Amino acid sequence: MSRLVLASSSRYRRQLLDRLEIPYQWTAPDIDESRREGEDAVTLAHRLALSKAQAVAADYPAHLVIGSDQLALFDGDILGKPGDFDTACANLRRFSGRKVSLMTGLALIDTRAGHHRVVHDTYHVWFRALSDEEIEGYVSRDQPYDSSGSFRMEGLGIALFERFEGDDPNTLIGLPLIKLCELLREAGVNPLGNHRETPQGS
């Protein structure tokens, strides 16, 4: 039985974690993702990532539980998921020709040892100058309503950008694998070790 649990319902995060070829289980956490008054981006990203892991940790004694959450940062605003067509289009109109930063919080709880680590990674994207036709066509096709930044890097979103900057492009999709590998090694799980089981849902 795997000791690793991903606290996420996102198929994109599962696809990223699959790349490490470590057996794991996944389960969907249920948390309130609302921002608290006075909370800055780092504090919010850390709290939400840790809250997701904590929401399921009690069900997995002697496991390593991963939580992750992403925010979009633009012009001093912290943006979450757009939720609908009009909001996604409005966000992309604001982003046209501008830089947007995607911050992803990452938590790893060791339920056997009773401790946790929380980190974050930030990746920057520069949008092309986008026409209304391009924006509405993109949102209609990719429907990025549950994606921070109002785009899916895993889909047609790549066509929106001029360039990227950052340490780990996986941060754009919502699971910084470089930092996750570091946390796993600290917890005694080497992604380059010998793992033979397959991922499973719960």
Side-chain angles (χ1 to χ4, degrees):
M1 177 65 71
S2 168
R3 287 186 57 221
L4 194 62
V5 177
L6 176 64
S8 176
S9 59
S10 167
R11 69 181 185 275
Y12 305 116
R13 287 192 175 100
R14 296 200 300 273
Q15 288 168 358
L16 287 177
L17 189 54
D18 287 346
R19 291 171 55 187
L20 299 186
E21 299 184 3
I22 300 174
Y24 69 91
Q25 302 170 73
W26 63 269
T27 187
D30 182 16
I31 69 164
D32 179 2
E33 298 188 24
S34 302
R35 182 184 178 191
R36 295 174 180 170
E37 185 176 355
E39 206 167 31
D40 63 22
V42 171
T43 303
L44 177 59
H46 282 213
R47 178 176 63 81
L48 293 180
L50 183 58
S51 293
K52 287 183 176 181
Q54 289 172 329
V56 305
D59 296 327
Y60 294 93
H63 283 70
L64 298 173
V65 184
I66 302 165
S68 187
D69 198 83
Q70 186 182 71
L71 310 170
L73 311 177
F74 178 75
D75 262 2
D77 292 336
I78 301 173
L79 306 175
K81 302 173 178 66
D84 57 49
F85 179 88
D86 289 340
T87 304
C89 287
N91 284 342
L92 293 178
R93 289 188 186 99
R94 291 181 68 196
F95 300 162
S96 178
R98 303 284 301 281
K99 170 187 169 183
V100 177
S101 300
L102 280 297
M103 177 183 290
T104 300
L106 176 67
L108 185 69
I109 298 177
D110 186 334
T111 59
R112 178 169 58 186
H115 64 71
H116 66 266
R117 285 281 313 278
V118 187
V119 296
H120 68 276
D121 191 51
T122 303
Y123 208 80
H124 310 287
V125 300
W126 277 261
F127 280 78
R128 296 171 39 246
L130 302 169
S131 68
D132 283 348
E133 181 180 7
E134 287 178 312
I135 289 169
E136 293 174 8
Y138 167 72
V139 174
S140 295
R141 292 168 67 180
D142 238 9
Q143 299 184 5
Y145 309 136
D146 62 349
S147 299
S148 296
S150 302
F151 65 85
R152 294 193 195 285
M153 183 62 189
E154 316 85 329
L156 188 57
I158 188 66
L160 301 171
F161 308 124
E162 288 186 342
R163 64 187 178 96
F164 305 131
E165 181 181 283
D167 295 328
D168 186 348
N170 300 297
T171 296
L172 281 178
I173 304 176
L175 191 65
L177 291 183
I178 292 175
K179 288 189 178 294
L180 178 58
C181 288
E182 177 185 341
L183 296 184
L184 289 173
R185 287 192 297 267
E186 290 177 0
V189 176
N190 187 347
L192 296 180
N194 185 24
H195 308 288
R196 297 181 181 275
E197 299 175 54
T198 55
Q200 52 192 298
S202 66

